[in-house]
Amino acid sequence: METRCRLAALSVLLSALFAPSVCVISPKQIDPLVYEEQLLWVSGSQGAVNTYRIPLLSFSPKGSLLAFSEARKFTHGDMGAKFIAMRRSTDKGATWSPTTFIVDDGTKPDGLNLGAVVVDEEVGSVILIYTICFYLNQCFPASIMMVESKDDGLSWSPPRNLSVQLGIKNFAPGPGFGIQKHYEPAKGRLVVCGHGTLEGDGVFCILSDDHGKNWFNGAALKSIPYNQQKRAQDFNPDECQPVEMTDGSIVINVRNQNSYHCQCRLVVRSLDGGLSLPVEGLYFDYTLVDPVVAAGALQKDGVLYFTNPANKQHRVNLTLRWSMTDGKTWENQAVQIWAGPSGYSCITSLNSGSAEDRKYIYVIYEKGHKDYWETVSFAKIHLFGGQ
């Protein structure tokens, strides 16, 4: 058995012929290296777009890499008219298609907010969830919207308003990815989590058990005081990234908006497929210091990866961390992806079962020299490249 495990480790490093599932990855094997990096969007450089922000990244069921961002037309601020921009790669990020705009909200003063990408592997579709009129600025009510691609991101359905099913409420998905559960309970369920208004904030999840045809409201972890103006250090969970663990639970890594208890991340767990988030399972991850920002998380081959600007005060120092214990502890080693201004990030990987795809994760993030919203950058990271 010892010989087989050594050969399995060698297969990860040298693309040998043994299956990647022969033995579990050890902490000593993981030594990430930023293998390739390229800019996908540069703010202010393309036509009618002032700023690109809120990057999302996911592989399609057919193995194409899809990158999305908010293309803010007139300002770098959160409000205002936007496109949803997309670029597509069929060679795992080596080359990319030109930018296409798959949603256009016109000239709305309170335009769309992106959102979460959800891959339904069972039917081969890619779903984007976003919201419009989130800030209720010269418009009412807020609406939760959905577009879907069934042809590998080449075309998209007309927008569908999910508020007809979910009720009228302010809900901002992600930003990041939603999940399709691979384990019981609720295997096959689509789970998208996000947050509410700044007053009625908290972590909320919407769920679908029929591949996005119908949606219903799931878990809610409300802010305190709820629907009231917040003060510094109030309990105010905000933007979040859900990840399914191998035991079927959903771990949600959460932005601690008002720095309640610490300048670090909140973590909550659902044991029932996203129907509830018991407060008894909430904890503060003191290792994951955070300047109040959306972060990336990904579970791959029993390892939990996390990206954020690792700084208590400023959005700088985008850092990759990893945990062999489902986030209970983190390895002492970490990799700095970018030292300078950096903001929101999202992680993905291709789980094809091949030794080659086991070696890489992919990160998209906001990157700048003076301000973090200057560009959106894509990094391919070799998990064993530093050895």
Side-chain angles (χ1 to χ4, degrees), residues 206-217:
I206 61 173
L207 315 173
S208 175
D209 287 334
D210 57 5
H211 309 291
K213 296 182 180 66
N214 295 283
W215 294 82
F216 59 99
N217 291 301

Side-chain angles (χ1 to χ4, degrees), residues 146-386:
M146 166 182 157
V147 292
E148 182 176 15
S149 175
K150 296 182 178 180
D151 59 2
D152 206 44
L154 293 173
S155 64
W156 295 83
S157 68
R160 180 158 68 94
N161 194 329
L162 302 182
S163 297
V164 175
Q165 298 173 350
L166 296 169
I168 295 173
K169 62 178 184 178
N170 293 60
F171 172 75
F177 58 80
I179 62 173
Q180 182 173 47
K181 291 198 86 271
H182 291 93
Y183 307 99
E184 297 292 349
K187 183 179 179 181
R189 172 176 289 169
L190 305 182
V191 181
V192 174
C193 300
H195 70 102
T197 62
L198 297 182
E199 290 79 18
D201 217 339
V203 173
F204 303 92
C205 298
I206 61 173
L207 315 173
S208 175
D209 287 334
D210 57 5
H211 309 291
K213 296 182 180 66
N214 295 283
W215 294 82
F216 59 99
N217 291 301
L221 178 70
K222 295 183 178 181
S223 59
I224 303 173
Y226 185 64
N227 262 341
Q228 298 178 45
Q229 189 169 351
K230 300 297 187 295
R231 298 181 180 181
Q233 298 180 321
D234 279 347
F235 179 68
N236 198 12
D238 196 79
E239 295 169 324
C240 59
Q241 177 59 68
V243 177
E244 186 181 21
M245 312 311 289
T246 54
D247 64 359
S249 66
I250 301 171
V251 170
I252 307 179
N253 195 290
V254 185
R255 170 174 171 163
N256 187 2
Q257 178 65 28
N258 287 52
S259 300
Y260 176 79
H261 194 70
C262 67
Q263 291 170 305
C264 66
R265 305 292 294 184
L266 298 172
V267 181
V268 290
R269 183 186 296 263
S270 175
L271 303 176
D272 54 12
L275 293 174
S276 66
L277 290 169
V279 70
E280 294 85 357
L282 183 149
Y283 66 93
F284 301 89
D285 197 324
Y286 301 106
T287 302
L288 303 182
V289 298
D290 191 74
V292 185
V293 69
L298 177 76
Q299 201 273 1
K300 180 178 176 66
D301 292 335
V303 183
L304 182 63
Y305 297 94
F306 176 83
T307 53
N308 80 327
N311 186 286
K312 290 185 177 181
Q313 301 292 339
H314 305 289
R315 292 183 178 181
V316 296
N317 186 33
L318 192 85
T319 299
L320 171 69
R321 294 186 179 275
W322 57 97
S323 169
M324 312 299 295
T325 59
D326 292 347
K328 299 179 182 66
T329 60
W330 297 88
E331 296 299 309
N332 291 329
Q333 184 183 5
V335 171
Q336 184 183 76
I337 298 175
W338 176 245
S342 41
Y344 288 25
S345 59
C346 184
I347 318 174
T348 195
S349 68
L350 184 59
N351 297 319
S352 66
S354 73
E356 181 68 16
D357 288 330
R358 194 181 183 192
K359 293 189 294 186
Y360 297 101
I361 62 173
Y362 305 83
V363 178
I364 192 171
Y365 70 101
E366 298 171 339
K367 175 182 182 179
H369 290 273
K370 180 181 178 182
D371 299 304
Y372 62 85
W373 58 80
E374 292 169 5
T375 70
V376 171
S377 188
F378 165 81
K380 180 179 181 179
I381 296 177
H382 194 314
L383 296 176
F384 314 99

Side-chain angles (χ1 to χ4, degrees), residues 31-64:
D31 192 8
L33 176 71
V34 179
Y35 188 71
E36 296 175 358
E37 183 161 359
Q38 56 184 299
L39 299 181
L40 293 187
W41 288 289
V42 178
S43 294
S45 68
Q46 292 181 310
V49 176
N50 177 284
T51 304
Y52 290 92
R53 280 211 60 202
I54 324 299
L56 313 181
L57 188 68
S58 181
F59 276 97
S60 74
K62 293 183 179 180
S64 295

